[in-house]
Amino acid sequence: MTMTLLTADAVVAETRKGLGLPAVAASVAVDDTLLAQVLRAVAWSHCPCQPFILMREAERHLNGLVPPATDLADRLSAVLEALIATGDLVEPGQVTQAEFFSRGVLFPAPPSFAMLSQDVAQLFGLANEGGWGSLPDLHGRVGYDGASRRIVAKPGEELAAKLRAAGLRELSVKAWLKEPPAVSATDLLSAALAKMKLAEPGDAIGADMEVFVAGGSIYSKCWVRPSCQSGNFIAKRAKAFGAAQWMLVSLDAGRLLRLAHLPSPGSSLRACDEAWRLQLAKDAVEGRPQAFRLTLPGKVAHFDLTFPIPQWAHRRMLAFGRQVPSRKCICSYDISEGLVAEASSFLERQLWMKKTTS
């Protein structure tokens, strides 16, 4: 029996082929598109499970295929977040009887699609590779771009009907995006503060509580221990297990007066998503809206955000274009020139952000 020694580049090329991805130059073969497919394959065999298990298994499969010094863990984390945003994986708050499941567990969504337009379908959910369409003329037509998968109709083709016939579940764009109604920053913040006034007096501030003090240019450095602050603040407490605990708090010279836990009762949003949008509203109301940087070097515009955005907003930005490695900011997107105005309007309307250009 003859054995052939394969180089890392050759293994990556075969992996891409086996996962249904197009061949690319070896220098860019381990891109976010490949990472997304690896995470999907791992999730198909391991979910429901916690995110760290998917990360660990994906790193194990990629061991030896990427240089040890690369930021693989950070890239996998960003891609995994994008898979959750696009709907391939769902969190406990989005599944039936969520209160019975461990916090932080991810579940696979069924194979689904949403029509972004009459001719373009966004695909999401998990199936064994090859389960994306049992009809022969759908095979090989899925376009991969980072964490997004889309398929474009042929001239005269009834794409939605064909996808339904292939066994995929159809969701409206509105149901897929899960975008909340547009409201003014003042109304959103006022409603949240009114609910907090009805809350019970707060407990003593624990050693692990931090509040977000606006005004800094670096997000991570705006989180401080309460000391002499007075007013209303977004706060969080780290937990030994699971996601952090998020709150809206009222302070008087660093003393906790009232506390309202997030998400609000009846909300379907993640706690961090509700907290981030409240902070964005608070910044806008106080006259210092968070900014996004827009540059248009060519046919593709660069959107760079220095503040985290809710998952539903991330999903909308992915519908406009694609996420790319951050350009010295929290997150970056590349969006085609024709959708720049619509993407800018979305950030300004739904998150009250201010556009800066360079």
Side-chain angles (χ1 to χ4, degrees), residues 126-335:
L126 297 185
N128 58 323
E129 293 308 316
W132 281 106
S134 57
L135 301 180
D137 55 351
L138 291 180
H139 182 70
R141 292 177 54 188
V142 178
Y144 297 87
D145 187 3
S148 290
R149 291 173 294 178
R150 293 175 182 168
I151 188 166
V152 178
K154 296 177 180 178
E157 181 181 39
E158 293 290 339
L159 181 58
K162 189 165 289 187
L163 292 173
R164 287 193 296 268
L168 277 68
R169 178 188 61 159
E170 182 178 10
L171 268 68
S172 68
V173 170
K174 182 178 180 180
W176 173 61
L177 290 173
K178 298 183 178 70
E179 187 176 314
V183 296
S184 71
T186 299
D187 287 349
L188 184 76
L189 186 60
S190 296
L193 294 178
K195 291 178 182 178
M196 186 178 66
K197 289 179 180 179
L198 300 176
E200 295 294 326
D203 300 326
I205 293 175
D208 55 352
M209 177 183 281
E210 293 180 314
V211 295
F212 189 89
V213 178
S217 59
I218 301 176
Y219 172 79
S220 60
K221 294 186 177 180
C222 290
W223 289 101
V224 300
R225 285 273 299 128
S227 56
C228 59
Q229 295 86 2
S230 295
N232 302 307
F233 299 87
I234 294 297
K236 64 178 180 178
R237 282 182 175 138
K239 296 176 65 178
F241 302 98
Q245 185 180 41
W246 293 79
M247 299 153 282
L248 179 62
V249 301
S250 178
L251 301 178
D252 179 22
R255 182 172 63 91
L256 182 61
L257 300 179
R258 289 191 179 275
L259 176 154
H261 290 285
L262 299 175
S264 304
S267 173
S268 61
L269 299 177
R270 299 186 306 176
C272 60
D273 289 345
E274 190 168 328
W276 287 331
R277 196 182 190 210
L278 281 174
Q279 185 61 50
L280 287 163
K282 186 172 183 288
D283 290 341
V285 169
E286 294 175 352
R288 48 167 180 262
Q290 292 290 338
F292 65 93
R293 184 173 65 251
L294 171 62
T295 57
L296 189 58
K299 294 296 184 181
V300 175
H302 296 168
F303 282 73
D304 299 313
L305 284 61
T306 57
F307 191 89
I309 60 176
Q311 190 178 88
W312 54 265
H314 179 42
R315 186 181 297 116
R316 169 62 84 171
M317 294 300 286
L318 292 175
F320 288 134
R322 63 173 305 198
Q323 186 178 18
V324 297
S326 62
R327 291 177 279 255
K328 297 182 179 180
C329 58
I330 294 291
C331 56
S332 297
Y333 302 89
D334 282 355
I335 294 174

